[in-house]
Amino acid sequence: MDANTVLLVFIAVGLDGLAGLAGGVLSEPWLQRRLPALVAFAAGTLLSTVFLEVLPEAVEARGEAAFAWAFASFVALALMEWALGHHHHDAEVAAGHAHGHAHPGAPTLPSALLASDALHNVGDGAAVAAAFLVSPQAGFATAFAVIVHELPQEVGDYALLRAAGWSRARSLVALAAVQLTAAVGAAGVLLGTRYLPSLQGTVLAIAGGSFLYIGAVDLLPELRRGPDSRQRVVGFLCGLLLIGGLHFAEAFAGGHG
Ligand SMILES: [Zn+2]
């Protein structure tokens, strides 16, 4: 691990922290028009990152055990959402809040919302660090997929905090701070792999399973929901093309993968 890798990891985590401000910065009319496309784009980047970068690297590092870890994290997320009754990345909820309606299934306790976000972000940060340790290409794809899928989520969370009576400033500071818990996950992986080299492959496998869940279960069904299906499909394909293009350009140029 060199200083450049560490720097890239923390730049990515810092950008992910800025995503926490999305709800307060993006204009509401723009969001209402573009949120479906953004969600579909996030699904496309997550799924192509899983299958082209994260899982292949995890299998290279951990062998077949990577699939068991990925499967375990997929099932754990499903059970967790079922137990909490909370779709972390539910874009319909996000859109609903951006439009200003409450969603009956969503938790209204800001502290519960922020705590579950923090937990999720530690995982995102760990995934970004593990991917950068493998290769810059895997790192960029993963960081991009993380930031893009956080945007709709942060928009929804911001609206929810505002609806709970929080001021604009307090909501934004809280969301950015919670977003930066990703640094804890990233630092944990960077330090932990020094003592436990297999950690990197395991973290990638777990990230693969959870990205697959978020992309396929939380985000992808949005493609078939509501009007404006064309912008959703275009958004999804743009996500696939971007990560896929990066992957195949690298392979063509003689890089690995
Ligand atoms: Zn996330």
Side-chain angles (χ1 to χ4, degrees), residues 86 88 112-122 150 153-154 157 175 178-179 181:
H86 171 38
H88 177 82
L113 174 89
L114 293 174
S116 91
D117 264 5
L119 190 68
H120 170 91
N121 288 325
V122 169
E150 285 300 311
Q153 176 62 31
E154 295 303 317
D157 289 355
L175 287 173
V178 163
Q179 203 66 5
T181 54

Side-chain angles (χ1 to χ4, degrees), residues 231-251:
Q231 70 157 308
R232 294 164 202 257
V233 173
V234 169
F236 180 65
L237 292 176
C238 285
L240 292 186
L241 284 174
L242 187 81
I243 303 294
L246 182 75
H247 178 80
F248 290 110
E250 183 77 10

Side-chain angles (χ1 to χ4, degrees), residues 19-189:
L21 305 177
V25 173
L26 302 175
S27 86
E28 192 137 323
W30 186 86
L31 279 172
Q32 286 189 16
R33 266 183 292 122
R34 293 294 168 226
L35 203 56
L38 185 62
V39 168
F41 181 67
T45 57
L46 272 175
L47 292 174
S48 41
T49 301
V50 167
F51 287 109
L52 298 176
E53 308 289 346
V54 173
L55 283 183
E57 298 291 1
V59 169
E60 198 168 306
R62 292 291 268 114
E64 270 184 29
F67 288 109
W69 282 106
F71 185 42
S73 96
F74 187 97
V75 171
L77 267 187
L79 292 177
M80 216 150 72
E81 284 205 343
W82 174 74
L84 296 175
H86 171 38
H87 282 245
H88 177 82
H89 288 272
D90 192 324
E92 192 198 27
V93 174
H97 287 300
H99 293 208
H101 341 116
H103 192 284
T108 40
L109 266 184
S111 55
L113 174 89
L114 293 174
S116 91
D117 264 5
L119 190 68
H120 170 91
N121 288 325
V122 169
D124 277 354
V128 168
F132 269 114
L133 285 174
V134 166
S135 75
Q137 183 197 343
F140 287 126
T142 304
F144 191 77
V146 161
I147 291 166
V148 167
H149 86 259
E150 285 300 311
L151 287 174
Q153 176 62 31
E154 295 303 317
V155 169
D157 289 355
Y158 173 75
L160 208 145
L161 292 180
R162 296 283 282 145
W166 286 34
S167 73
R168 180 186 163 86
R170 186 180 176 204
S171 303
L172 290 178
V173 167
L175 287 173
V178 163
Q179 203 66 5
L180 288 174
T181 54
V184 175
V189 166

